[in-house]
């Protein structure tokens, strides 16, 4: 990256997104139309296969190297008592994933998914967004560039999740900055906030929006001022995936809020993205409506640290195999 201002390269990338492959999507629709099944009988299985084709450019689509990438960050706003968990719980969750004891580990095993967990300077929480910007522009851009490296080594399906004490408050602040409304419209219980803690979360979001509100028209400024490292890294990963024709499954506070930032820059970014699950958080539900994405699964998950993305990946892999099987069947002579 060579420009004078750190965000300039990302602004350029977002205005030059490669188009999705509508021709590949049409070919997959034609495959399903050639089967003996009633039209539309496979419902969203067919839709997912078509989405995979347009995002990857492959018809029928194939998945050989799926990856669950979980980004972990800590937040200065946690000092205001916005989470029932201590900041140290983020590192413990990362360690649990590394040891194979987190919920995402057997999900990845069940669906043959790779797993990487990225520790984003957990020893150094971002600045408290109620009193200053979470990150400076250079640090935010560098973290986005780091997130782009999640695809290094090759993957053909990227499943995004996050870990971070306080990141539901950060996500609410970002969504309030992007879409307006009251803080209470975007704040949810997160990891289990009671009424007093919800009030503290709302107060923190109100304070953050009051301090940084003048920058709400610039989505990248929203990302760096009231976001966090996992949010920035995920934004970078989504951009890199689009450039490499890699479909993306988003799940969780940071992934959805990061996608909202990118969508505010260029709405075309969502074409290669799939929302994993319908989350119970009211703010994330509203955000999914702004994105125009329909969740694939409804499992009453509140926040599963990538579990929703992993479970959705199982359905996506099955859809790819169904379309490949149909292609093989309709290609054989009667």
């Amino acid at each position: 990256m060579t420009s004078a201002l750190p965000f300039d390269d990302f602004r350029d990338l977002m205005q030059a997104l490669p188009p999705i492959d509508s021709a590949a999507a049409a070919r997959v629709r034609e495959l399903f139309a050639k089967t003996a099944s009633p039209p539309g009988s496979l419902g969203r299985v067919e839709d997912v296969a078509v989405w995979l084709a347009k995002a990857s450019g492959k018809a029928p689509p194939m998945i050989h190297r799926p990856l669950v990438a979980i980004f972990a960050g800590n937040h200065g706003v946690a000092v205001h008592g916005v989470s029932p968990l201590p900041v140290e719980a983020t590192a413990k969750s990362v360690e649990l994933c590394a040891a194979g004891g987190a919920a995402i580990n057997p999900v990845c095993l069940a669906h043959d998914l790779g797993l990487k967990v990225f520790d984003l300077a957990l020893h150094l929480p971002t600045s408290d967004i109620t009193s200053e910007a979470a990150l400076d522009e250079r640090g935010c851009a560098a973290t986005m560039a780091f997130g782009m490296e999640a695809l290094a080594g090759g993957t053909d399906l990227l499943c995004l999740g996050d870990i971070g004490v306080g990141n539901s408050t950060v996500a609410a602040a970002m969504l309030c900055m992007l879409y307006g409304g009251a803080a209470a419209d975007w704040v949810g219980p997160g990891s289990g906030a009671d009424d007093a803690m919800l009030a503290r979360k709302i107060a923190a979001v109100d304070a953050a929006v009051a301090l940084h509100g003048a920058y709400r028209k610039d989505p990248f400024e929203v990302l760096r001022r009231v976001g966090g490292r996992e949010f920035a890294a995920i934004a970078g990963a989504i951009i890199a995936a689009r450039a490499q024709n890699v479909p993306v499954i988003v799940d969780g506070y940071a992934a959805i809020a990061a996608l909202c930032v990118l969508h505010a820059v260029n709405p075309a970014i969502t074409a290669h993205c799939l929302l994993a699950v319908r989350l119970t958080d009211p703010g994330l539900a509203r955000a999914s409506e702004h994105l125009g994405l329909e969740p694939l699964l409804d499992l009453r998950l509140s926040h599963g640290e990538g579990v929703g993305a992993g479970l959705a990946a199982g359905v996506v892999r099955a859809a790819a195999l169904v379309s490949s099987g149909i292609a093989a069947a309709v290609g054989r002579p009667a």
Side-chain angles (χ1 to χ4, degrees):
M1 295 189 175
T2 59
S3 68
L5 296 175
F7 283 147
D8 283 355
D9 296 286
F10 292 105
R11 297 185 200 280
D12 291 342
L13 287 171
M14 285 297 296
Q15 297 307 318
L17 296 176
I20 58 172
D21 196 330
S22 299
R27 290 197 296 273
V28 172
R29 285 284 188 205
E30 291 170 3
L31 284 175
F32 280 89
K34 292 178 179 178
T35 67
S37 302
S41 61
L42 288 175
R44 292 203 69 188
V45 172
E46 179 178 341
D47 293 338
V48 168
V50 171
W51 166 76
L52 271 175
K54 75 177 183 180
S56 66
K58 299 174 183 176
M62 296 171 286
I63 299 173
H64 299 298
R65 300 190 67 182
L67 174 68
V68 175
I70 299 178
F71 295 88
N74 275 326
H75 303 274
V77 74
V79 300
H80 296 287
V82 296
S83 173
L85 300 174
V87 172
E88 294 76 19
T90 304
K92 290 181 179 179
S93 293
V94 169
E95 292 167 3
L96 191 62
C97 284
I104 188 59
N105 295 103
V107 170
C108 289
L109 183 63
H111 298 298
D112 194 20
L113 311 172
L115 174 64
K116 291 182 181 179
V117 182
F118 298 90
D119 174 339
L120 299 170
L122 295 182
H123 65 288
L124 186 64
T126 55
S127 298
D128 177 5
I129 61 174
T130 69
S131 59
E132 56 187 310
L135 297 163
D136 60 30
E137 184 172 343
R138 187 172 299 279
C140 186
T143 306
M144 293 175 72
F146 176 82
M148 299 179 84
E149 295 300 315
L151 282 80
T155 183
D156 49 18
L157 178 67
L158 181 63
C159 311
L160 295 169
D162 59 77
I163 301 172
V165 171
N167 72 3
S168 67
T169 301
V170 169
M174 292 173 65
L175 296 173
C176 192
M177 286 276 284
L178 290 169
Y179 301 127
D185 296 333
W186 302 104
V187 170
S191 299
D194 58 18
D195 288 344
M197 189 168 287
L198 277 173
R200 291 196 292 274
K201 293 178 72 170
I202 291 170
V205 172
D206 277 333
V209 173
L211 178 64
H212 305 288
Y215 299 91
R216 68 195 316 159
K217 296 296 185 182
D218 185 339
F220 285 119
E221 282 295 305
V222 171
L223 176 63
R224 84 161 182 94
R225 287 178 175 274
V226 298
R229 292 190 183 91
E230 72 269 43
F231 295 79
I234 287 173
I238 292 171
I239 295 171
R242 180 58 167 268
Q244 299 177 41
N245 298 320
V246 175
V248 174
I249 300 176
V250 295
D251 178 37
Y253 295 109
I256 293 173
L259 182 57
C260 287
V261 165
L262 299 179
H263 179 262
V265 178
N266 184 349
I269 191 67
T270 59
H272 75 299
C273 298
L274 180 71
L275 185 57
V277 295
R278 189 182 309 279
L279 294 174
T280 56
D281 182 273
L284 294 186
R286 291 188 183 93
S288 66
E289 294 174 2
H290 280 279
L291 293 171
L293 296 179
E294 181 183 358
L296 180 61
L297 304 174
D298 189 351
L299 301 173
R300 297 195 297 276
L301 294 178
S302 58
H303 184 58
E305 299 176 350
V307 169
L311 292 170
V315 176
V316 171
R317 295 201 78 175
L321 290 171
V322 168
S323 62
S324 297
I326 290 173
V330 300
R332 287 196 296 262

